[in-house]
Amino acid sequence: MAILDWILHPTELWAGFWYVMRHAPPDEKTNKLQVSGEMKRCYDFLEMTSRSFAAVIQELNPKLRDAICLFYLVLRGLDTIEDDMTIPGAKKRHLLETFHEIIYQKGWTFSESGPDEKDAILLVEFEVVIAEFMLLSTEYQEVIADITKRMGAGMAKYTRERVETLDDYNEYCHYVAGLVGHGLSRLFAVSGLEDKSVGERLELANSMGLFLQKTNITRDINEDVLDGRCFWPKAIWSKYAKDEDELISKNNRDNGLCALNDMCVNVLAHIPDVIDYLSQIKEPSVFRFCAIPQVMAVATIVVCFDNTNVLDDNVKIRKGEALKLISQATTLDSVKRVFYKYMVALDKKNHPDNHVYEEVRKISDKTKKNIARTLKGGAPVDFTAEYLVIALFLVTAFFFFYSYSQSKQL
């Protein structure tokens, strides 16, 4: 099946080839950073906790690279505590609410994580992160500590409360992802690599985070419900199911699909802000760092739309598709072409009998119109069919000549 995917998507095969040629293995890449022993350990943690983020962080401008690595690890430590269902509620809330102070406590570690916490090793050796964090400039430290404080308070709040209304949903996603966008934008500005206005237009930064978080929440519904939790707002799912288990039940499939499509519309509404945010980023490595997760997200939410498989499993985009998206997330024009392409794909899935048909059509039409208006050369042209014809011709020719050569030998 994987081989067939590559054959049917030849541009993805090419993108995969170039990705392998241009990217070193994790250990080799970390060695090339020429960092100190403890900072090297931090990059090791980065590889352990998120290979995808590790790749883009390690390619950042040196002015930002260490600060964003440590920012990520601090928040990953915070997130590991929030996710751990074995920590008693009162103790968990105390840790979350004081984590912004803990990152200034030399030698602090935590070894009480549950046995299933895959990132527990980060907290066991957290003194390494603290030591490197305290070597950062005061400006970087202040941004990271402020975001950690606000995020920890928000996480603590939602250990007591559930996501009921759409306002709750937006607030929860702001705490766990929008604030990440705030922090990154402020770090970009502090570094001098981006204009200070990037660190001030925080409503756009918030949408960047919400677009990613809501995409993940929408996609992960099956896994989350099976784990005994649900981050879909009750205001949406309660229209279609009496409880979260019924939401993913095969006996309630049509209603579950309606709920899924409502969730997808909620995600798609953030696209204009995402493009506006990326339009203000000038430094190439910062642009790639911001753009890669966003193009992955738009591809993922389009795959999820009107897709009953989401209710049964964790749906992902093809590996080759992901590699191609990484190769395309280099310039604003290229990213706009990606968004345009996926709006066209969304249109093909959006049937008139779908209850969100008009909402989706309006979002897609507006996005395509704005992109075509600002894109050099106008609306993009899709050559997928032509590439497929060429690929099939080459495969057929290969097998023909191979069979011919074999018959001659006989």
Side-chain angles (χ1 to χ4, degrees):
M1 188 64 183
I3 295 175
L4 181 60
D5 277 344
W6 289 112
I7 292 173
L8 294 177
H9 304 90
T11 57
E12 295 176 10
L13 178 61
W14 184 249
F17 170 78
W18 278 109
Y19 183 87
V20 171
M21 293 296 292
R22 296 176 62 183
H23 289 76
D27 290 343
E28 182 180 335
K29 184 177 288 187
T30 303
N31 290 336
K32 286 182 177 179
L33 292 178
Q34 297 180 339
V35 293
S36 66
E38 289 195 330
M39 195 62 214
K40 183 179 184 302
R41 184 59 177 158
C42 289
Y43 281 105
D44 289 340
F45 285 137
L46 190 62
E47 289 284 353
M48 291 179 207
T49 55
S50 176
R51 292 287 295 275
S52 56
F53 272 109
V56 288
I57 289 175
Q58 290 175 15
E59 293 179 359
L60 276 167
N61 187 296
K63 285 185 177 181
L64 269 171
R65 190 169 55 217
D66 289 355
I68 289 183
C69 172
L70 293 166
F71 181 43
Y72 177 85
L73 292 177
V74 166
L75 297 188
R76 174 59 74 175
L78 187 69
D79 187 60
T80 301
I81 290 170
E82 185 211 20
D83 282 346
D84 193 338
M85 304 305 290
T86 68
I87 302 175
K91 183 171 186 175
K92 178 185 287 190
R93 284 189 288 275
H94 176 73
L95 286 168
L96 294 173
E97 290 169 343
T98 61
F99 207 73
H100 64 287
E101 299 171 352
I102 287 171
I103 59 177
Y104 286 101
Q105 296 176 16
K106 291 183 179 180
W108 184 89
T109 60
F110 185 79
S111 57
E112 300 172 43
S113 299
D116 296 327
E117 287 302 317
K118 61 183 179 64
D119 296 329
I121 185 64
L122 172 64
L123 293 175
V124 170
E125 298 184 40
F126 204 73
E127 77 275 10
V128 174
V129 177
I130 292 173
E132 291 297 325
F133 165 77
M134 294 182 70
L135 295 177
L136 292 175
S137 71
T138 302
E139 288 179 305
Y140 282 151
Q141 287 185 33
E142 288 175 351
V143 171
I144 294 172
D146 178 54
I147 297 299
T148 304
K149 178 180 181 179
R150 293 160 63 190
M151 185 179 290
M155 287 177 168
K157 175 181 178 179
Y158 279 94
T159 62
R160 301 184 184 94
E161 301 179 15
R162 300 194 68 182
V163 178
E164 301 275 346
T165 67
L166 289 175
D167 285 342
D168 291 341
Y169 185 47
N170 286 325
E171 183 182 60
Y172 173 77
C173 290
H174 165 72
Y175 283 134
V176 300
L179 284 174
V180 179
H182 282 206
L184 289 172
S185 298
R186 289 166 60 187
L187 292 173
F188 299 158
V190 166
S191 73
L193 294 173
E194 297 295 342
D195 190 81
K196 66 178 183 179
S197 63
V198 172
E200 296 168 351
R201 300 183 67 189
L202 297 180
E203 72 285 353
L204 296 182
N206 189 63
S207 267
M208 289 280 283
L210 264 60
F211 187 60
L212 301 181
Q213 184 67 20
K214 288 181 175 183
T215 296
N216 291 337
I217 286 175
T218 301
R219 179 197 62 195
D220 294 343
I221 182 61
N222 179 269
E223 179 183 341
D224 284 341
V225 170
L226 293 179
D227 284 344
R229 58 189 180 184
C230 179
F231 297 105
W232 284 22
K234 188 175 182 180
I236 286 180
W237 66 255
S238 63
K239 293 185 293 183
Y240 306 103
K242 66 178 184 294
D243 55 36
E244 293 96 328
D245 290 330
E246 188 180 43
L247 187 61
I248 63 171
S249 169
K250 290 185 183 296
N251 296 325
N252 191 45
R253 193 44 38 102
D254 289 345
N255 283 331
L257 190 61
C258 287
L260 170 64
N261 288 340
D262 281 359
M263 292 294 295
C264 289
V265 169
N266 189 280
V267 178
L268 293 166
H270 292 286
I271 287 178
D273 280 353
V274 169
I275 295 176
D276 283 350
Y277 183 92
L278 293 174
S279 299
Q280 66 183 345
I281 301 298
K282 306 304 179 188
E283 204 279 334
S285 71
V286 174
F287 183 87
R288 281 179 57 79
F289 174 79
C290 295
I292 288 173
Q294 304 297 328
V295 294
M296 297 286 192
V298 73
T300 300
I301 201 62
V302 170
V303 168
C304 290
F305 178 73
D306 209 39
N307 185 351
T308 56
N309 291 332
V310 175
L311 303 173
D312 296 322
D313 203 355
N314 190 275
V315 172
K316 295 182 180 180
I317 60 176
R318 297 183 305 276
K319 188 170 294 185
E321 186 176 8
L323 295 176
K324 183 178 179 181
L325 288 169
I326 290 172
S327 72
Q328 292 175 319
T330 52
T331 66
L332 182 60
D333 270 7
S334 182
V335 168
K336 285 181 177 179
R337 292 177 190 279
V338 169
F339 272 84
Y340 192 100
K341 168 190 169 183
Y342 283 102
M343 290 302 98
V344 172
L346 182 65
D347 291 340
K348 293 177 181 177
K349 299 181 71 175
N350 187 30
H351 303 297
D353 58 349
N354 196 316
H355 78 289
V356 294
Y357 173 78
E358 282 299 327
E359 291 177 89
V360 172
R361 185 184 62 80
K362 287 177 182 178
I363 292 171
S364 177
D365 286 351
K366 182 179 179 181
T367 301
K368 290 187 296 182
K369 182 178 179 180
N370 288 340
I371 289 174
R373 178 173 52 82
T374 59
L375 194 62
K376 296 173 185 176
V381 178
D382 186 6
F383 291 105
T384 302
E386 288 81 354
Y387 285 135
L388 182 57
V389 170
I390 293 171
L392 291 175
F393 172 78
L394 292 174
V395 170
T396 303
F398 170 79
F399 281 112
F400 173 79
F401 284 112
Y402 177 79
S403 299
Y404 178 76
S405 63
Q406 293 295 307
S407 65
K408 293 289 285 183
Q409 291 176 12
L410 295 175

